Short mmCIF file of all heavy atoms in Angstrom, two decimals:
data_model
loop_
_atom_site.label_atom_id
_atom_site.label_comp_id
_atom_site.label_asym_id
_atom_site.label_seq_id
_atom_site.Cartn_x
_atom_site.Cartn_y
_atom_site.Cartn_z
N GLN A 6 122.69 117.73 114.78
CA GLN A 6 121.38 117.62 114.16
C GLN A 6 120.52 118.80 114.64
O GLN A 6 120.55 119.18 115.80
CB GLN A 6 120.68 116.32 114.56
CG GLN A 6 121.30 115.09 113.95
CD GLN A 6 120.47 113.85 114.23
OE1 GLN A 6 120.92 112.89 114.85
NE2 GLN A 6 119.21 113.87 113.78
N SER A 7 119.75 119.33 113.71
CA SER A 7 118.83 120.40 114.09
C SER A 7 117.59 120.34 113.20
O SER A 7 117.66 119.90 112.05
CB SER A 7 119.51 121.77 113.97
OG SER A 7 119.88 122.02 112.63
N PRO A 8 116.44 120.79 113.74
CA PRO A 8 116.24 121.16 115.13
C PRO A 8 116.12 119.93 116.02
O PRO A 8 115.96 118.82 115.53
CB PRO A 8 114.91 121.93 115.07
CG PRO A 8 114.18 121.27 113.96
CD PRO A 8 115.21 120.89 112.94
N LYS A 9 116.18 120.13 117.32
CA LYS A 9 116.04 119.01 118.24
C LYS A 9 114.59 118.56 118.34
O LYS A 9 114.29 117.38 118.45
CB LYS A 9 116.55 119.41 119.63
CG LYS A 9 116.67 118.25 120.61
CD LYS A 9 117.40 118.69 121.87
CE LYS A 9 117.46 117.56 122.88
NZ LYS A 9 118.21 116.40 122.38
N TYR A 10 113.69 119.53 118.31
CA TYR A 10 112.26 119.25 118.31
C TYR A 10 111.61 120.01 117.16
O TYR A 10 111.96 121.17 116.91
CB TYR A 10 111.60 119.68 119.62
CG TYR A 10 112.13 118.96 120.84
CD1 TYR A 10 113.14 119.54 121.62
CD2 TYR A 10 111.64 117.71 121.21
CE1 TYR A 10 113.64 118.87 122.72
CE2 TYR A 10 112.14 117.04 122.31
CZ TYR A 10 113.14 117.64 123.06
OH TYR A 10 113.64 116.98 124.15
N LEU A 11 110.67 119.39 116.50
CA LEU A 11 110.01 120.01 115.36
C LEU A 11 108.57 119.55 115.31
O LEU A 11 108.26 118.35 115.45
CB LEU A 11 110.73 119.62 114.07
CG LEU A 11 110.25 120.25 112.77
CD1 LEU A 11 110.40 121.76 112.83
CD2 LEU A 11 111.05 119.69 111.60
N PHE A 12 107.68 120.52 115.08
CA PHE A 12 106.27 120.21 114.93
C PHE A 12 105.84 120.59 113.52
O PHE A 12 106.25 121.62 113.01
CB PHE A 12 105.44 120.97 115.97
CG PHE A 12 105.78 120.60 117.38
CD1 PHE A 12 106.79 121.25 118.06
CD2 PHE A 12 105.10 119.56 118.01
CE1 PHE A 12 107.13 120.90 119.35
CE2 PHE A 12 105.43 119.20 119.30
CZ PHE A 12 106.45 119.87 119.97
N VAL A 19 109.07 118.83 105.62
CA VAL A 19 109.99 119.38 106.62
C VAL A 19 111.38 118.81 106.37
O VAL A 19 111.51 117.65 105.98
CB VAL A 19 109.51 119.08 108.05
CG1 VAL A 19 109.46 117.59 108.31
CG2 VAL A 19 110.38 119.77 109.07
N THR A 20 112.39 119.64 106.57
CA THR A 20 113.77 119.20 106.35
C THR A 20 114.54 119.20 107.66
O THR A 20 114.54 120.20 108.39
CB THR A 20 114.48 120.10 105.33
OG1 THR A 20 113.81 119.99 104.06
CG2 THR A 20 115.93 119.67 105.14
N LEU A 21 115.18 118.07 107.94
CA LEU A 21 116.02 117.92 109.12
C LEU A 21 117.48 118.05 108.70
O LEU A 21 117.91 117.44 107.72
CB LEU A 21 115.79 116.55 109.77
CG LEU A 21 114.34 116.21 110.08
CD1 LEU A 21 114.26 114.82 110.72
CD2 LEU A 21 113.72 117.24 111.00
N SER A 22 118.22 118.82 109.48
CA SER A 22 119.61 119.09 109.14
C SER A 22 120.54 118.12 109.86
O SER A 22 120.31 117.74 111.00
CB SER A 22 119.96 120.52 109.53
OG SER A 22 121.35 120.75 109.44
N GLY A 111 119.89 113.49 117.66
CA GLY A 111 118.55 113.17 117.21
C GLY A 111 117.65 114.39 117.05
O GLY A 111 117.87 115.45 117.65
N SER A 112 116.63 114.21 116.22
CA SER A 112 115.58 115.22 116.03
C SER A 112 114.24 114.54 116.22
O SER A 112 113.98 113.50 115.60
CB SER A 112 115.65 115.82 114.61
OG SER A 112 116.81 116.59 114.43
N ARG A 113 113.42 115.13 117.06
CA ARG A 113 112.11 114.52 117.32
C ARG A 113 111.05 115.30 116.55
O ARG A 113 110.83 116.49 116.80
CB ARG A 113 111.79 114.52 118.81
CG ARG A 113 110.55 113.70 119.16
CD ARG A 113 110.43 113.48 120.66
NE ARG A 113 111.53 112.72 121.21
CZ ARG A 113 111.65 111.40 121.15
NH1 ARG A 113 110.73 110.68 120.56
NH2 ARG A 113 112.70 110.80 121.71
N LEU A 114 110.42 114.63 115.60
CA LEU A 114 109.40 115.24 114.76
C LEU A 114 108.02 114.79 115.21
O LEU A 114 107.78 113.59 115.38
CB LEU A 114 109.62 114.84 113.30
CG LEU A 114 108.53 115.24 112.30
CD1 LEU A 114 108.40 116.75 112.21
CD2 LEU A 114 108.81 114.63 110.92
#
Side-chain angles (χ1 to χ4, degrees):
Chain A
Q6 290 187 240
S7 62
K9 190 170 177 63
Y10 298 96
L11 184 61
F12 297 88
V19 62
T20 297
L21 307 180
S22 170
S112 293
R113 190 168 297 280
L114 172 63

